Amino acid sequence: MPMTRHITLKAPEAVREVPETVSIGQGLAGSNMRAHMKEVKSRGNSMSMQRVLTVGVVGLGYWGPNLARNFNQLPGCRLGALCDLDPERLEKMQLLYPDPVCY
């Protein structure tokens, strides 16, 4: 059964809660994310089939695009939401990642 966590960390640009996601903003990869990825790696590919961590990136300034790219490439991780106050930044990111919800 998939397990979902809800964590919101503050980012300098904007903070908006996204239900059933883990929002990590401006380079703050919390201990929950590290623990989850360690568990995914220890169990191999079968873990990614059972449990997927949905992540929302808040703030797409300097670090945000790098975080989005890295989360999108991680096994066992799904990029679920992107958030920024600048509509142009959101449009650029939406072209690269059409699946996440944009705020």
Side-chain angles (χ1 to χ4, degrees), residues 7-11 22-30 32-34 53 55-59 64 67 71:
I7 300 169
T8 302
L9 301 176
K10 289 190 176 184
V22 176
S23 301
I24 299 179
Q26 301 304 341
L28 299 174
N32 289 333
M33 181 65 179
R34 285 190 288 275
L53 181 67
V55 179
V57 178
V58 179
L67 289 168
F71 287 134

Side-chain angles (χ1 to χ4, degrees), residues 41-58:
K41 287 179 183 177
S42 70
R43 293 196 183 179
N45 291 336
S46 64
M47 182 62 184
S48 63
M49 297 284 287
Q50 297 173 2
R51 183 173 164 194
V52 175
L53 181 67
T54 302
V55 179
V57 178
V58 179

